[in-house]
């Protein structure tokens, strides 16, 4: 079997896994599968090295990724105006299986996921130098961001007897060039001591507004592990990302993290560090000497 056929087979298996979880009512698992597959398809669409797929086939893969994100969004937000049903998604299974020979019109009027480069932590270091000197523009302004697709936040886990769940409200982040950031959002992850993911990462929706030197999120993120089950030495990471139109990709601007001994109810303010994100916490450099931080509020849910 050729490499391209193996790739298609892998995508098809992931698609079936997601729709099976979805039909069984295992929504958290379904969302995970949909988002992982959507990212894999996006990566193929944005690849400049691959000649396995034609431009038309890549466009179809991009539209499938859009549908996966729409279904994922429907599962996360029951009041979603753009409800994308499981029965509709299942119509795409034969398209994935036969992507190399599929030549009919796409069954839904959707656009491919925008071709924005999502870079791995630190990858943008090879492509750009952060231009912080011209950051003064926009300071002091108040601006609401345009509506955009929801992030990839997951619902709270079911409660377990004697176990504690943690909800983190990301309130705001202080940045001297807050007014310049386009489509800012936060990627939240739980990493073990080796910097490996304990569960799939979550992206917030785009921030709600910016004001002076602050970008406001006011969004709840449910940590996908019971506090008692979090590995020793793990930390919760917050990567602040924004879109750079001149460069054509989404860049990590800075990051922050919270260690397990900092988990307690109420507000917490944590320091910001320069990129690239250091998940092992070995070489940390503060972003600025100014009094600018990430502001969070913690809520603990204990089922006794």
């Amino acid at each position: 079997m050729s490499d391209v056929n193996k790739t298609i087979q892998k995508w098809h298996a992931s698609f079936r896994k997601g729709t099976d979880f979805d039909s069984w009512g295992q929504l958290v698992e379904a969302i995970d599968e949909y988002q992982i597959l959507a990212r894999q398809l996006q990566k193929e669409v944005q690849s400049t090295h691959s000649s396995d797929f034609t431009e038309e086939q890549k466009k179809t893969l991009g539209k499938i990724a859009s549908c996966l994100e729409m279904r994922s969004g429907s599962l996360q937000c029951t009041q979603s105006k753009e409800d994308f049903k499981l029965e509709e998604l299942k119509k795409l299974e034969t398209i994935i299986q036969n992507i190399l020979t599929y030549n009919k019109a796409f069954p839904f009027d959707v656009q491919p996921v925008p071709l924005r480069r999502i870079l791995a932590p630190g990858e943008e270091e090879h492509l750009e130098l952060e231009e912080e000197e011209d950051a003064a523009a926009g300071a002091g302004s108040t601006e609401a961001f345009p509506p955009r697709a929801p992030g990839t936040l997951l619902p709270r886990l079911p409660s377990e007897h004697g176990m504690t769940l943690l909800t983190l409200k990301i309130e705001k982040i202080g940045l001297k060039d807050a007014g310049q950031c386009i489509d800012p959002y936060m990627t939240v992850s739980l990493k073990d001591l080796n910097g490996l993911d304990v569960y799939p990462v979550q992206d917030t929706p785009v921030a709600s507004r910016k004001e002076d030197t602050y970008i406001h999120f006011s969004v709840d993120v449910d940590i996908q592990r019971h506090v008692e089950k979090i590995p020793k030495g793990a930390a919760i990471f917050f990567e602040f990302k924004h879109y750079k139109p001149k460069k054509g990709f989404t860049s990590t601007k800075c990051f922050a993290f919270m260690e397990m001994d900092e988990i307690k109810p109420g507000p917490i303010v944590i320091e910001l560090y320069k990129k690239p994100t250091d998940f092992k916490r070995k070489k940390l450099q503060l972003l600025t000497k100014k009094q600018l931080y990430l502001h969070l509020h913690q809520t603990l849910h204990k089922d006794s």
Side-chain angles (χ1 to χ4, degrees):
M1 186 184 291
S2 68
D3 287 346
V4 66
N5 282 318
K6 284 179 184 174
T7 299
I8 294 168
Q9 195 176 61
K10 187 177 173 185
W11 289 343
H12 178 233
S14 181
F15 184 89
R16 281 295 300 270
K17 198 173 174 185
T19 53
D20 281 348
F21 280 136
D22 200 343
S23 62
W24 298 333
Q26 292 178 240
L27 304 190
V28 173
E29 291 84 356
I31 290 166
D32 279 357
E33 283 299 325
Y34 291 153
Q35 289 173 356
I36 289 167
L37 179 55
R39 286 186 180 185
Q40 288 173 347
L41 297 180
Q42 280 176 261
K43 191 174 178 183
E44 184 61 51
V45 169
Q46 296 177 23
S47 170
T48 54
H49 308 295
S50 169
S51 57
D52 290 333
F53 300 97
T54 65
E55 288 306 309
E56 201 58 38
Q57 288 165 351
K58 285 186 175 185
K59 195 179 290 184
T60 300
L61 290 173
K63 289 182 178 182
I64 294 170
S66 288
C67 292
L68 289 163
E69 291 197 353
M70 287 166 64
R71 178 58 187 161
S72 180
S74 296
L75 293 177
Q76 293 174 72
C77 180
T78 50
Q79 282 83 35
S80 173
K81 292 177 184 175
E82 296 183 8
D83 188 27
F84 196 81
K85 294 183 169 37
L86 174 59
E87 293 71 29
E88 295 172 321
L89 189 67
K90 283 183 174 180
K91 293 177 183 176
L92 304 181
E93 184 173 354
T94 54
I95 301 178
I96 288 183
Q97 280 181 290
N98 303 296
I99 186 67
L100 294 176
T101 55
Y102 184 80
N103 57 7
K104 298 176 185 174
F106 198 76
F108 306 108
D109 183 19
V110 296
Q111 294 302 311
V113 172
L115 290 182
R116 289 187 172 184
R117 294 192 62 193
I118 307 292
L119 300 183
E123 190 181 339
E124 70 268 18
E125 294 295 307
H126 302 294
L127 301 171
E128 60 154 331
L129 291 172
E130 196 72 51
E131 298 140 2
E132 292 188 326
E133 284 72 25
D134 57 333
S141 65
T142 301
E143 183 182 328
F145 292 106
R148 207 183 82 169
T152 58
L153 296 180
L154 298 168
R156 192 185 307 166
L157 294 175
S159 58
E160 283 186 27
H161 180 69
M163 292 288 180
T164 310
L165 289 167
L166 171 63
T167 300
L168 289 165
K169 180 182 279 294
I170 301 176
E171 294 183 336
K172 60 184 180 179
I173 186 172
L175 296 166
K176 64 180 181 179
D177 57 348
Q180 286 192 321
C181 296
I182 298 173
D183 285 354
Y185 67 96
M186 201 77 73
T187 294
V188 182
S189 58
L190 177 63
K191 308 283 186 185
D192 66 15
L193 265 176
N194 296 314
L196 300 175
D197 284 315
V198 176
Y199 66 80
V201 301
Q202 302 184 70
D203 291 335
T204 71
V206 167
S208 55
R209 63 189 174 94
K210 54 190 174 186
E211 185 175 17
D212 299 323
T213 54
Y214 286 102
I215 293 176
H216 294 260
F217 286 88
S218 300
V219 63
D220 287 339
V221 179
D222 287 296
I223 301 305
Q224 301 293 302
R225 277 288 180 279
H226 293 90
V227 173
E228 293 81 1
K229 295 180 181 178
I230 293 175
K232 188 176 180 181
I236 300 166
F237 279 81
F238 306 85
E239 295 172 271
F240 178 82
K241 299 179 179 180
H242 63 131
Y243 182 61
K244 294 203 155 187
K246 288 182 182 176
K247 305 285 185 180
F249 58 77
T250 297
S251 168
T252 301
K253 183 173 182 63
C254 59
F255 72 98
F257 63 87
M258 198 180 96
E259 296 184 321
M260 296 305 97
D261 58 0
E262 297 176 286
I263 294 179
K264 49 181 174 287
I268 181 173
V269 175
I270 54 178
E271 293 175 315
L272 302 172
Y273 296 95
K274 288 181 180 178
K275 65 181 184 181
T277 310
D278 180 10
F279 293 124
K280 294 186 179 180
R281 295 163 268 162
K282 300 289 187 189
K283 298 175 182 176
L284 300 170
Q285 275 188 293
L286 286 174
L287 179 68
T288 176
K289 293 177 182 176
K290 297 179 187 292
Q291 301 293 302
L292 297 171
Y293 304 101
L294 177 62
H295 296 250
L296 309 167
H297 192 280
Q298 303 183 68
T299 303
L300 295 173
H301 314 270
K302 181 125 185 175
D303 185 8
S304 52

